[in-house]
Amino acid sequence: MKKHLLVFLMMLTSSVGINAQLRVVENLNFGWRFYAGDVKNAEQKDFADADWRTVNVPHDFQIEQPWVAPAADEKADNSDAAANIKSRLSSRGFKEMGKGWYRLHFTPADSLKGRRLLLQFDGIIYTGDVYLNGEHIGGTNYGYVGFEIDVTDKLRLGQENVIAVMADTREPGNSRWYTGGGLFRNVRLVATGKELFFGRHALYVTTRDNKYVNVSGEFTNRTRKPAHTKVMIYAPDGKLIFEGGKTVNRHRMARTVEVALCDEVKVENPQLWDTETPNLYRAVAQLLREDGSVADQVCTTFGIRTVEIVANKGLLLNGKKVLLKGMANHHTLGALGAAAYPRAIEKRLQLMKQFGINHVRTSHNPYSREFIELCDKYGLLVVDELYDKWTKQHTGGRVDFTQLWQSDIPEWIKRDRNSPSVVMWSLGNELQQDPNQPFNDFGVTMYKLMRPLVSRYDSTRQVTVAMHPRYRNWETDSLPCNLAMITDVQAYNYRYMYFPGDGRRFPWMKFYQSEASTQAMGQNFFEMDLDKVIGLAYWGVLDYLGESMGWPAKGWSQGVFNIDLTPKPKAYYMKSFFMPDEPVVHIAFLESENAEMWNGVKMGNDRMSELWNRQAGSKANVYIYTNADEVELLLNGKSLGKKQNDVKNAKLRNQIRWGEIDYKPGTLEAVARKDGKIVARHKVETTGEAKKLTAEADKPMATKKNQNVPQWSADGMDLQHVTITAVDSKGRRVLNANQEVNFAVEGPAEIVGVINGDITSNEMTVGNKRSFYNGVCSVILRSTREAGPVTLTATAPGLKEVKLKMETK
C-alpha cells in the first residue's frame, strides 16, 4: 500500500538570523484511489480500495464517461426548453450524471505535533463531502468555491490516515452547462503554529494614486502577549523596496481580526500594472514571537494600478481609456474537461492575447485561483463572477441559495481581491429569465443584501449583475428592469442597442455588453459608441462541452475557435477589429448558413472553411476578413479584381463578401493594401494526398546535441500539448485528411487527453487515439514527478509515422 509521507521543511528567515519553522503547504494532489459510482461505506477508514484506480488531481471523472445520445422521446436540442421536452443531457455535454469516490492514504509525521493543521480544497465539483478516518468533517454545497477544514485534533500523527471524498454532479437540471465532476482543483495540507497565525486569504493590499501601498492582515493571537508584525514589499525585479513592522497590543484574540500592517508606503518610480506591462509586486507578511522568531508567514502578489468606471467614458486603467475586448466562456478545458490544469489555462490565455482579447468574464462561477493569477501575469482584465441565477437549482441543488451567499462571498472576494486583473465583481447572470429568485423581485432585494457584503471585503471595485435588461419582454418594455437601476454597472447581455436610449434617460449609467453574439460579431462592436462604453465579452468564443444546440454536437459550437483551440476563419475577423493596428487578411469559404436561436438571440455561426480541394466545376462563396483598405484576389496569379473594405457599414466592416467564384486547383491568394501599399497576404492551396505525419509540441524548446528538444517540468502537473498534422509531399497541411491516429508514450509522462476540432465527433477525449479533423488532432501529455526523456510516437494508416523526443526537467 503506497503511503504519502509529508515532509516539512525548516525555512531560513535571514531577517531575524535564526531558523524558524514557518507555514508549510503540502501538495496532496497525487496518489488518490478512485471509483466511478456510489459505494456503501466508502468513507470508512478500513474500506477495501486496493482494486480502485489510482488518479492524480486535478481530475474530472465525468469526462471519462461515455457519450449518451438522446432517447427516442427526447428532443436532440434545447429548442423546446419551455415545454420541458428538451434533451435531458444536452446542457451537460451528453454525459451521464453520477457520483465518484476518492480515497487518499497518507501518514503524517510525528513532528507535526503541536501544529495547527488544515485540509484545503480549491473546489469539488459539483458538490462534495469530505471524511477523515470515517468521520464526516466537511464539504461543499457549491463546488466552485474553495474551503478549508481544521483537522488539528483529528489527524493521527505517525499513523496511516484516510481522506475520503464523495463528489456528486447532481441532477442534469442543476446546471445549464457541463460542470465536470470530482476533485477538479488542488488539494493541500497546511501546517501553522497554534498560538499565533494568519487566517485564510489573510492579506489585503490596496494602492492609492499609483504610488502608495497599504497592507492589512487577518491573524489570530492566543499568546496573551503583544503580536509583532513585519511587512516586506518586493518590486517586480525581486528587489526589496520596503521593510517595516508594528506591534499590535491586543491580547487573547481568540478569533481572527483584521489589522493594518503598513500604511501609505510610498513607492518611488512605481512600475504600473496594465495590459501591456503587467508588472507584479509581492508583499510578504510575518508574525513574530517575543524572541524575534517567525511564527507565521504569508505572501501575495499585487499590482499598482487604478481602475475607474465612469459614465460616458467607460473603463479607465491608470487614467487611460481601455476598451474591454473580451470573451465570456465556461471554465472547462476541452479534452481535459473541468480539470483545472494551469498550463492548459495558460495556453488559452496566450492564444486569446494573440487574437486581441484583453478581457475575460468568468461565466458563471469563480474560475480557479490559478486562472486569475495567470490573468495577472499576462495582463488580461477580468470580470469575476460568482453565480448564475440565484436559486437552489442553479447553485448546486443541495441547499437553498439563501444559505450559500453569506459564506461564498467572503471566500470569493478575499481570494481574488489582491489581483490587479480583476476590475469588476459580478454577482449573477440573467436573473430575468427565472422568476423564482428570492423575494420574487428578479434580484433587487437579494442584490441589496449581497452588495454591502462585497464592500465589507473589497471597497475598491464596482459590482454588477449580467442581465437581460427588459425582464422577459425585451422587445416591448421601454424601461430597464429594476435591477439595472441599482447595480454599479449596467451589464446587458446582447441588448447593446438599448445603450443610447437608456443613457439619455439615465446619464449616470455605465454600459457593458456582458455577452455578445458571435453570429453578429463586428456589428455588435462597431454599432456601440466605443468612446462611451466599457466594452463587450463575446459569448462562447471557444467551443465548449455542454449547452449543445443539438446532437451530435456535444456542446457549444458557435465559437470562433474549435474545442481543440484551432482558430476558425472567423477568429481572424475578430482579430481584425480587436487589433486594428496589426494588418490582417484571411480567406474563408461559406459552406452553409446557420440561423440557430438561443435565449431569443440569433447565435448560429455560419460554417466556414479554408479548404481549396473542391469538386471540379464547383463554385466557392468567398469571404475575406481584413482591416486593410482594399483586397485584391488572385487565382493562380490572375487577378479576379479588387474590392474595398466598407468601413462605414457596421455589418460589413472588415468583411468583404466577395461572392461566388469558379473553383480551379492551385492557389487562391488575397493581397491586402492600405494607403496603396501591400500590408498583408493570405493564400490557400490545393494540396496533394497526405503522405506523413508531423508533430509539434507547444512548450519552449531547448537545444540539446544540435536538436531542439521540447521541455517541460517534472512536477506531475505540467502539460505538453502536441499537435499532429497530416501533410502532403510538400509539407502542406491536408485539410481533408481524416485518418485515425494512434499514440504511444515512452518515459515519465502519461496521456491525459486527445482531441480534435470536431465537437460532433463520437470519439472520446480520453484514450490513446483520435481522428484528424481539418488535417490535425492533438494529444495532451502530463508529466510525472520523475525527470527524464519522453518519446511520443504517432501512427496513422497509410502515413509515415512521427516520433517526437522531449524531456522533463
Side-chain angles (χ1 to χ4, degrees), residues 298-309:
V298 290
C299 66
T300 186
T301 55
F302 67 96
I304 298 176
R305 58 99 174 104
T306 60
V307 171
E308 303 168 85
I309 301 177

Side-chain angles (χ1 to χ4, degrees), residues 16 57 85 148 260 292 310 319 329 377 416 429 432 524 594 629 716:
V16 295
V57 174
I85 57 173
E148 69 181 15
V310 182
N329 257 72
K377 175 181 177 180
D416 291 344
N429 176 68
Q432 296 75 27
N524 51 20
N594 186 346
D629 297 336

